[in-house]
């Protein structure tokens, strides 16, 4: 039994458990659906590429720059956006983020030139800036560290689920709606997958609450108990200024780890449909089904890795081993790229291991700093990840055009994962016993 968990006042533990359970059911499902749509809107350009490049006469380099320029806008506005969320409240700010990015993503159906592609992708990045780190910070205002890892893992589980469902949906849309009303399948893809974000933005505005004190589903006793848990934990955590969050060396080291992990993640997200097509699969629906397989396995592996990390209360080796296996899977899939079966085995192992490292990673920075410093620090880490997203798409596009295939890019990604795993192993063990006890997956 964990005797180091905060015990607020004399409130019975079963009553506090009930309060957290009610809050999780009220908040987490909506956030998962929002992340499903957010990630789908971010990476559906990888599926649109299968038709869009031929229709618009774009090169791989044009696509790589357009896919990557999203991260420039995201990077420029991420930290200001997260600070604004801290100031104005998550409910209003997340709703604003979702509505604007949904409308801009739908507008992608009208692109005709490389410049219009670049401008819209940049604006989508500006609109979405702060969403993911904002949610991570938002969870810190409801759950103490020893419960927060569970919530983060459930939220991040939306990533492989989104990729899995998105692959199936995107392939179906592009194949079945191509030519309907005079629009190409890739155009229908953007509008059908973009507009749900607008409706979800409205749902966030009306259903989320900014503070425990504002939660109508909690009794006064439950509100006091949950707030006391956060207040007690805050006594052991520095609550400094934005500047402190941005200059913390631990934040920068974690940012470097995340840079390497995200570099691999986005190479897979943006280029897997192309890799599968190059293995001999032509139909968009079949490509969608095959693309969904690695993400289906990743959904399960996240739970298994998280439970192992939870049971052993260890994160460095879990993250490092996942990164190393991810690199090995990518190399294997690349070496045997001419065989669809062997390529899929490698891509499945690599993708599952790579994605399984993410909930373990996000259990690490959320207890380093608090308050405005936490909002800025978490945003900084995610910003460095988005630098990787931009860098990866540019490099992969350039290498693919230079060599005529994706092999060099895949080896490059595998090397980045190895470096990320080594950096993860270099992260010092937490001295805060609450961080040491923090669970990372349900």
């Amino acid at each position: 039994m964990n005797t180091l968990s905060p015990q607020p006042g004399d409130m019975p533990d079963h009553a506090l458990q009930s309060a957290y359970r009610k809050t999780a059911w009220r908040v987490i499902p909506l956030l998962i659906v929002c992340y499903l749509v957010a990630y789908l809107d971010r990476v559906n350009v990888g599926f649109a590429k299968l038709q869009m490049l031929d229709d618009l006469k774009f090169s791989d380099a044009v696509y790589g720059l357009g896919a990557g320029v999203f991260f420039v806008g995201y990077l420029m506005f991420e930290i200001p956006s997260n600070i604004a969320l801290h100031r104005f409240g998550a409910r209003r700010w997340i709703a604003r983020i979702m509505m604007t990015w949904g409308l801009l993503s739908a507008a992608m159906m009208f692109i005709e030139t490389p410049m219009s592609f670049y401008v819209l992708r940049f604006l989508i990045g500006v609109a979405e800036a702060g969403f993911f780190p904002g949610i991570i910070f938002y969870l810190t205002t409801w759950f103490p560290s020893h419960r927060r890892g569970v919530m983060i893992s459930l939220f991040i589980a939306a990533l492989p689920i989104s990729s899995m469902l998105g692959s199936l949906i995107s392939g179906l849309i592009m194949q079945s709606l191509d030519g309907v009303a005079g629009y190409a399948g890739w155009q229908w893809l953007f509008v059908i997958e973009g507009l749900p974000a607008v409706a979800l933005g409205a749902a966030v505005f009306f259903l989320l609450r900014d503070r425990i004190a504002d939660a109508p589903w909690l009794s006064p006793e439950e509100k006091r108990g949950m707030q006391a848990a956060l207040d007690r934990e805050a006594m052991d955590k520095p609550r400094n200024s934005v500047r402190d969050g941005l200059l913390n060396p631990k934040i920068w080291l974690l940012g470097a780890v995340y840079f390497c992990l995200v570099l691999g993640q986005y190479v897979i997200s943006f280029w897997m449909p192309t890799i599968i097509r190059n293995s001999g699969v032509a139909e968009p629906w079949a490509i969608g089904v095959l693309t969904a397989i690695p993400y289906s396995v990743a959904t399960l592996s996240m739970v298994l890795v998280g439970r192992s990390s939870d049971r052993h209360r260890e994160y460095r080796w879990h993250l490092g081993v996942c990164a190393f296996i991810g690199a090995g899977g990518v190399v294997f899939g690349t070496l045997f790229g001419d065989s669809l079966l062997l390529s899929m085995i490698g891509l499945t192992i690599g993708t599952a291991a790579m994605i399984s490292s993410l909930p373990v990673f996000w259990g690490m920075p959320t207890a380093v700093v608090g308050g405005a410093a936490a909002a800025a620090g978490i945003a900084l880490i995610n910003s460095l990840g988005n630098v990787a997203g931009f860098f990866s798409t540019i490099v992969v596009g350039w290498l693919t055009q230079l060599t005529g295939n994706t092999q060099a890019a895949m080896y490059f990604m595998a090397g980045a994962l190895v470096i990320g795993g080594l950096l993860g192993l270099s992260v010092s063990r937490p001295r805060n016993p609450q961080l040491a006890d923090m669970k990372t997956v349900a």
Side-chain angles (χ1 to χ4, degrees):
M1 182 175 181
N2 182 6
T3 59
L4 295 174
S5 300
Q7 301 294 330
D10 56 357
M11 185 179 183
D13 184 66
H14 68 86
L16 189 59
Q17 291 278 8
S18 175
Y20 284 122
R21 190 177 303 111
K22 287 193 293 185
T23 300
W25 276 109
R26 182 62 180 260
V27 172
I28 298 299
L30 177 58
L31 296 181
I32 288 175
V33 174
C34 289
Y35 193 28
L36 282 169
V37 173
Y39 194 76
L40 183 59
D41 282 351
R42 180 182 295 193
V43 301
N44 60 9
V45 69
F47 257 94
K49 172 182 181 288
L50 299 176
Q51 294 178 349
M52 184 176 69
L53 265 62
D54 289 336
D55 288 353
L56 301 179
K57 310 304 180 187
F58 289 176
S59 67
D60 282 323
V62 168
Y63 166 74
L65 179 57
V69 77
F70 164 93
F71 298 101
V72 177
Y74 200 111
L75 175 63
M76 290 174 61
F77 289 89
E78 182 163 19
I79 293 176
S81 179
N82 222 33
I83 294 172
L85 180 143
H86 180 259
R87 179 176 179 181
F88 298 113
R91 180 173 61 94
R92 294 181 180 86
W93 201 251
I94 294 175
R96 191 282 306 163
I97 287 174
M98 298 196 66
M99 290 180 177
T100 52
W101 105 52
L103 291 171
L104 288 166
S105 183
M108 284 281 291
M109 73 178 296
F110 299 114
I111 63 172
E112 295 180 348
T113 65
M115 184 55 65
S116 62
F117 181 37
Y118 301 152
V119 169
L120 268 177
R121 287 290 293 176
F122 174 81
L123 292 177
I124 292 171
V126 172
E128 193 183 330
F131 173 76
F132 181 84
I135 297 297
I136 298 296
F137 174 73
Y138 179 67
L139 293 175
T140 71
T141 66
W142 289 87
F143 301 98
S145 61
H146 68 291
R147 299 180 187 272
R148 192 182 309 140
V150 175
M151 302 301 114
I152 291 174
S153 68
L154 292 174
F155 173 61
I156 293 179
L159 191 156
I161 294 173
S162 176
S163 298
M164 176 182 63
L165 296 178
S167 300
L168 299 173
I169 294 170
S170 297
L172 180 62
I173 290 173
M174 289 178 61
Q175 185 161 323
S176 61
L177 296 182
D178 190 29
V180 173
Y183 292 104
W186 64 267
Q187 292 175 298
W188 284 113
L189 174 69
F190 284 126
V191 69
I192 290 175
E193 293 183 353
L195 292 181
V198 181
L200 282 171
V204 165
F205 183 81
F206 289 108
L207 296 178
L208 284 189
R209 295 294 183 270
D210 291 319
R211 303 178 304 163
I212 292 174
D214 298 331
W217 60 88
L218 297 175
S219 68
E221 181 186 20
E222 289 172 331
K223 293 177 183 178
R224 288 192 296 269
M226 288 180 63
Q227 189 61 54
L230 292 178
D231 292 343
R232 184 169 299 186
E233 182 178 77
M235 296 173 62
D236 297 322
K237 187 192 304 181
R239 297 180 60 85
N240 300 321
S241 66
V242 169
R243 181 176 179 272
D244 295 318
L246 297 178
L247 297 181
N248 191 311
K250 293 181 180 179
I251 293 293
W252 280 94
L253 175 58
L254 291 170
V257 175
Y258 195 54
F259 178 95
C260 295
L261 298 180
V262 170
L263 192 149
Q265 172 195 332
Y266 278 113
V267 169
I268 287 294
S269 297
F270 284 123
W271 292 89
M272 189 186 295
T274 301
I275 295 171
I276 293 174
R277 184 184 63 180
N278 292 343
S279 297
V281 182
E283 294 294 326
W285 167 248
I287 294 174
V289 172
L290 291 173
T291 302
I293 293 174
Y295 294 111
S296 302
V297 176
T299 304
L300 175 62
S301 67
M302 283 179 65
V303 176
L304 297 177
V305 170
R307 285 180 176 173
S308 175
S309 177
D310 190 28
R311 183 168 58 253
H312 295 94
R313 295 181 181 178
E314 195 283 330
Y315 55 80
R316 297 183 306 157
W317 280 102
H318 282 80
L319 185 150
V321 169
C322 282
F324 300 148
I325 293 176
V330 169
V331 170
F332 181 88
T334 302
L335 288 174
F336 297 96
D338 293 336
S339 167
L340 178 61
L341 175 61
L342 294 179
S343 178
M344 285 302 303
I345 290 174
L347 288 175
T348 299
I349 293 173
T351 301
M354 194 186 320
I355 292 178
S356 295
S357 68
L358 297 179
V360 178
F361 171 82
W362 281 111
M364 297 160 68
T366 52
V368 172
V369 289
I378 293 170
L380 174 60
I381 291 174
N382 206 54
S383 293
L384 293 172
N386 283 295
V387 172
F390 173 75
F391 183 67
S392 66
T393 54
I394 298 297
V395 171
V396 172
W398 178 74
L399 287 174
T400 301
Q401 184 162 309
L402 181 67
T403 63
N405 58 61
T406 58
Q407 290 185 358
M410 295 303 105
Y411 293 139
F412 166 75
M413 180 187 73
L417 289 174
V418 171
I419 294 173
L422 292 174
L423 290 175
L425 293 177
S426 73
V427 177
S428 60
R429 293 181 180 274
R431 297 180 180 179
N432 187 331
Q434 291 197 36
L435 177 58
D437 279 344
M438 184 171 56
K439 299 183 177 183
T440 54
V441 166

